[in-house]
Structure formats: C-alpha cells, structure tokens
Amino acid sequence: MIELLSPAGNVEKLSYAYAYGADAAYIGLKKFSLRVKADNFYDDEYKKVIQLKEKYPEKKLHCALNISFHNKDIENLKNNIDYFKQYPIDAFIVQDIGVVPILQKEFPNAQLHVSTQASCINYEAVKMYKAMGFSRVVLGREAGLDEIRQIKDAVPDMELEAFCHGAMCIAYAGRCLMSAYLTGRSAQAGLCSHTCRWEYDLLSKPEGAKELAQSGRLYLREHERPEELFPVFEGEDYTAILSSKDIRMVEHLKDMIDAGLDSLKIEGRMKSVYYVALVTRAYRKALDAIEGKITQEEADPFIAELENVAHRESTTGFYYSRVDADETCIGASDSKYILTAQVGDEVSDEEFGKMLDLAAETAGNFQKELDEMHPAAREARLKDLEIHTDRRVVPLEKKEGWHLYPCTALNKFSTDMEIEFVSPDFVSKKGMPGDWVLINPENGCLLNWVCDSHPCMIYTKLELPESTLIRVEDPEYKPGIIRDKGR
C-alpha cells in the first residue's frame, strides 16, 4: 500500500494531517528546516507530538533537516541532539551528507531519507545513497514517470517518494539563488522569499512590447543556454516570468503507483490547517478508490474540493513531459472560502449538565439583579437590551438530538450566517441559521456572534466527527480574480 505523506508546519497541522487521512506527516525543527517561516516545532511541543503518535500509533513522523549545513549549523545540530531525541521521529529527511554519520550514531532506529533538494534523478545516485545507509529517496521534481520506473527496476529495495500536489520551485529541485540575490534571504537556509512569484514589470521602448507579451509568444532565454526557453506572460497589472504552476496529480495517482513510487508527498508546510486537511482528504479518498475501499463516485466529491482551497493553475510537472513543467502562471493563489472555526470533541453528558447548571445560575443571577433594581433603572436596562440584543442573557436549554462541542473561532461569524461543516468523513454539511447556536462557556448563555480569541461552544442538531472544521463563503471572492499577491 502506497504511503500518503502530508505537510505539518506545527502541532495543530500535524493533528489534522493525521485525522484527514495521511499515513505519515513531515515536520521541521527550528533552524534546521527549509521552511523557517513555517511555525515548525520547538520547546516542549514534543509532548503533544508524543500524544498524537499514541493516538495514531500506525502513523509515521518524518523530520526535515534539509538545509545546507555550515560549520556553525553542524555544531548547533550536535548541541540540540538531546532535544531532538525527545520527538518520536521515524525518519529524517536530509540533503547534506555531512549530517549522515551524526544521525546514524545518535538515532540508530530512525530511517534516513534523501531530500528532494539533493536532486537525485538517476539510479546510480540512488545506489550510492543506498550504500550510505539511506532507505528512501525523495526524487527531484525533474524525474519523469518513465525514469522513476527505471530507477525502481534498478534499485527495487530502495523506497522512492515524489511530490503529487502543491507549489513547485522554478529552480532545479529548489536550488535557487534569486532570493539570496534580491533580498539577502537564502533559500538554502530556509528563508526563501519566493522571488520567482513576485510581479515584474516588462520594460521596453519599442511600441507593441506589451501587446507582444500578452500574446504568449514571448520567452526569456539565457545567453549561454539557447535551448532553455522560459515563457513570459504580461497580464493587466503584472508580468509572470519565473512562477511555475502548482503540481496536481490526483487524477494520475495510478500512474505514479505503477511507476514504482512508495510514497506520495503533498507540499505545503507553510499552508493553512484548511489546506492541509482538505488536500490530504482528497488524496486519501482518491487512493482509497484505487485500492477498492470506496468507489470512484464516492471519491469524486472529495477530490472536487481541491478547487475550494487556495491554489494556482495546475500542471502534471515533469511526470509526462517537460513541456508541461515549462508553463508559467501568475504567482498568487486564492480560495472562495474562509476558515472560520475548529470544532473539538463532543462534550460528555456530565460536562453538558454542568453547562446547563451554569446557564441556569447565570440567568437566575441576572433576573435577581433586575428584580432588585429601581423600576426606572430596570425599564432603562430592558430598553437597552431591546436595542443591543447581544447583551441579552439567554441561557442554554437542552434540545433533544442536539450536540455540544467546544469551538475555536478563527474569524468572526454570527448565528444569522449560513456556515458549512467539513470533516474527514463527509464532504460538507450546511449549517443554516436555527440549526446551530453559539454558547459562551464562561456563563452558559447564547452568543450572537464570536470572533478570534473569544471562547465559545457550538450547539447543533448535526452530529460532527472529530476534527471538523467550519468554513463560510467569502463574500469578496470573485472567480478568476486573484486577490492574494502570494508574497
């Protein structure tokens, strides 16, 4: 069975990667990962990771130590070995062979995986890595499916991994110097500024240059490499030169499996919880259909949800033809939905009873306060409550068949809105006004709205699986118009 490997930029994303169907997830540790701007893992978060591994004992954890190590980085690595050992790491992903003997000595039970940054795309290199003690190679993105089959045939006992979804770097297997040149932030130190996705102006004195660029017939060519052509396209207010399309292979997973791959990797440790959850879920369902666990018709709605996460135009990369990989696009991404909240596990009957008691106490105290007021003051308070309905004290009441869940709000939403629930088990379910209410866990009373950092609970007629998310449609979204500049 092929492994589905998902990104996890922090503990929260790791949890959702596992819950939404990943067989394994890859994380980074501070200062040693090529995604320094991802949250990564630090301090005592290993305790939460251990708990997740205990909850999902069959799931694997891969750790990216894939920077290019300077001398000071090697010393820093050695100084942090004891900290790393606290994580339940199953494999390390590395590109710098200088750290291999250190990891082999200190982590004898952990596997070693060659990072895609090593640009390994031939069977002789794979043989060499195997001799060094590596158990898996994350192939460079330049390897086509035919080449992958040849590598697997030549080294059948070496595991092969390749990216199936997400952003691709325009440089050879990610080894780009543009970021360091323009911003002083080295991509090989985990500080890539994504300069290939910036917007550039096309400057030319001759008339008609812009019209030519908009025609799609303009290419960028480096003098010493006349056969290498990079398409240039001039949009209404941008020029795309070096921004590659995203890779999307969900419709071609059988071909990837037949080529001999052992693991399919989703890109995106800097992406959101929403992205990690829905993309992981789509690929899980697609693989389940291939393996006969569900029908293709059952999988299709989950796969269609890939359009509802932020993404660029897509391509099959180098897997079938390098012509596909050469196509560029505008560098930004966008989504029609806003992730609004995360839903926790349903509270127990005992906890629900305590919330009912708290609500009754709050309502009783409020009524007592009103009763003790001067009549004029009470009348003024009641009029104020008619105007400011969010100040009313409406206690939680038990409704037959309803369920109470803790809820972490990420953006503002109110009880008069139509919301959608998404989960590992179902594509989405609409929550219409009246089908759910918000509860203040501090007093047990109803809320009209909630926003980020406000504690709340959601009481609904819908039974929600573990790790359910709440989303709302973004009213400012317009199909075909990219708002996020993608920097």
Side-chain angles (χ1 to χ4, degrees):
M1 185 174 68
I2 196 163
E3 175 188 84
L4 178 60
L5 178 59
S6 292
N10 56 34
V11 172
E12 186 178 51
K13 295 173 187 177
L14 178 62
S15 173
Y16 280 90
Y18 285 160
Y20 278 72
D23 300 304
Y26 60 102
I27 68 173
L29 296 174
K30 285 292 187 185
K31 301 180 181 179
F32 299 104
S33 161
L34 279 181
R35 289 294 179 266
V36 167
K37 284 172 39 178
D39 292 343
N40 290 318
F41 292 73
Y42 55 93
D43 295 341
D44 64 350
E45 289 188 329
Y46 64 88
K47 297 177 182 177
K48 297 178 181 178
V49 177
I50 291 173
Q51 291 175 349
L52 280 174
K53 286 278 282 181
E54 291 174 346
K55 181 178 180 180
Y56 300 100
E58 75 284 4
K59 310 281 189 179
K60 300 295 184 181
L61 181 69
H62 302 176
C63 177
L65 295 179
N66 54 351
I67 66 168
S68 295
F69 283 75
H70 289 270
N71 292 329
K72 60 180 176 59
D73 299 317
I74 290 289
E75 294 304 314
N76 196 17
L77 173 64
K78 293 178 179 178
N79 293 335
N80 282 275
I81 287 294
D82 289 341
Y83 171 68
F84 289 174
K85 287 182 177 179
Q86 297 177 101
Y87 283 85
I89 295 170
D90 296 297
F92 288 99
I93 307 168
V94 301
Q95 67 155 316
D96 193 326
I97 61 174
V99 303
V100 171
I102 299 173
L103 296 176
Q104 289 175 326
K105 175 185 176 182
E106 301 292 346
F107 301 90
N109 297 321
Q111 295 183 349
L112 291 179
H113 296 176
V114 181
S115 170
T116 189
Q117 305 298 127
S119 302
C120 183
I121 53 174
N122 68 78
Y123 55 78
E124 292 296 346
V126 172
K127 291 178 182 178
M128 177 60 76
Y129 283 119
K130 179 173 174 54
M132 293 171 61
F134 285 88
S135 62
R136 178 183 296 186
V137 171
V138 187
L139 295 167
R141 74 181 183 98
E142 299 77 23
L145 291 178
D146 290 341
E147 293 175 302
I148 293 172
R149 179 73 267 173
Q150 293 166 6
I151 292 172
K152 191 65 175 181
D153 289 343
V155 198
D157 50 352
M158 175 67 96
E159 292 182 0
L160 300 180
E161 177 181 308
F163 284 94
C164 62
H165 195 89
M168 294 194 301
C169 182
I170 196 68
Y172 201 86
R175 295 188 292 184
C176 178
L177 300 178
M178 281 184 66
S179 179
Y181 176 72
L182 292 176
T183 69
R185 291 162 49 184
S186 172
Q188 294 307 297
L191 291 167
C192 181
S193 56
H194 300 281
T195 51
C196 62
R197 305 195 190 284
W198 291 4
E199 298 168 2
Y200 295 86
D201 293 325
L202 184 66
L203 304 178
S204 178
K205 291 183 179 179
E207 295 295 328
K210 184 171 184 178
E211 288 73 14
L212 175 61
Q214 290 177 333
S215 71
R217 294 184 287 111
L218 193 63
Y219 292 85
L220 185 71
R221 183 177 69 183
E222 199 271 325
H223 289 181
E224 298 299 322
R225 297 167 179 79
E227 73 284 356
E228 297 286 343
L229 301 178
F230 297 95
V232 177
F233 183 78
E234 176 81 1
E236 184 176 344
D237 58 358
Y238 70 91
T239 301
I241 303 176
L242 298 173
S243 179
S244 61
K245 291 184 177 182
D246 285 359
I247 190 169
R248 172 179 165 141
M249 290 291 288
V250 71
E251 292 87 3
H252 310 281
L253 297 184
K254 185 66 165 57
D255 289 348
M256 299 186 80
I257 295 171
D258 291 344
L261 289 168
D262 299 279
S263 179
L264 303 180
K265 190 171 193 174
I266 297 169
E267 181 275 338
R269 273 190 292 133
M270 291 174 62
K271 298 291 179 66
S272 67
V273 162
Y274 180 69
Y275 175 94
V276 171
L278 266 68
V279 174
T280 297
R281 188 182 67 172
Y283 278 81
R284 175 76 277 147
K285 298 301 183 181
L287 289 173
D288 286 349
I290 291 173
E291 294 168 4
K293 296 177 181 177
I294 60 175
T295 66
Q296 188 61 48
E297 289 72 21
E298 290 173 315
D300 285 342
F302 293 95
I303 296 171
E305 283 288 313
L306 288 173
E307 296 299 319
N308 290 329
V309 297
H311 63 283
R312 301 177 181 87
E313 296 178 69
S314 61
T315 176
T316 54
F318 287 85
Y319 288 121
Y320 296 103
S321 167
R322 68 161 298 154
V323 174
D324 300 326
D326 282 343
E327 295 183 5
T328 59
C329 69
I330 182 172
S333 59
D334 206 353
S335 171
K336 66 180 288 189
Y337 285 100
I338 299 172
L339 178 60
T340 305
Q342 297 163 275
V343 180
D345 297 338
E346 184 174 3
V347 303
S348 64
D349 290 342
E350 180 181 358
E351 290 299 315
F352 184 80
K354 290 180 180 179
M355 192 59 60
L356 284 175
D357 292 341
L358 178 60
E361 180 184 354
T362 301
N365 291 337
F366 177 72
Q367 187 60 50
K368 181 180 178 182
E369 180 184 352
L370 283 178
D371 292 342
E372 294 175 351
M373 281 183 175
H374 184 281
R378 182 169 60 252
E379 183 179 356
R381 171 67 70 86
L382 294 174
K383 286 184 177 180
D384 178 70
L385 292 176
E386 290 179 5
I387 299 172
H388 302 98
T389 57
D390 57 333
R391 298 177 184 174
R392 292 177 182 174
V393 177
V394 182
L396 169 66
E397 294 182 354
K398 183 176 177 60
K399 295 186 178 183
E400 196 63 37
W402 282 46
H403 309 270
L404 182 64
Y405 304 89
C407 183
T408 302
L410 304 175
N411 287 288
K412 183 178 179 180
F413 68 112
S414 56
T415 52
D416 61 353
M417 296 173 64
E418 178 183 316
I419 63 176
E420 286 188 33
F421 299 97
V422 296
S423 82
D425 301 335
F426 56 75
V427 177
S428 67
K429 290 184 179 180
K430 290 189 180 297
M432 305 301 292
D435 291 341
W436 57 280
V437 294
L438 293 170
I439 306 297
N440 183 345
E442 296 178 348
N443 62 20
C445 294
L446 274 59
L447 294 166
N448 287 346
W449 59 273
V450 69
C451 64
D452 183 21
S453 79
H454 283 212
C456 75
M457 306 183 82
I458 188 164
Y459 192 40
T460 174
K461 62 169 58 176
L462 297 176
E463 188 171 357
L464 304 176
E466 181 182 7
S467 302
T468 294
L469 297 171
I470 299 175
R471 69 186 182 187
V472 298
E473 289 196 24
D474 186 344
E476 297 181 1
Y477 175 80
K478 295 181 180 179
I481 298 178
I482 302 294
R483 299 164 298 165
D484 176 9
K485 297 303 181 182
R487 293 298 179 93

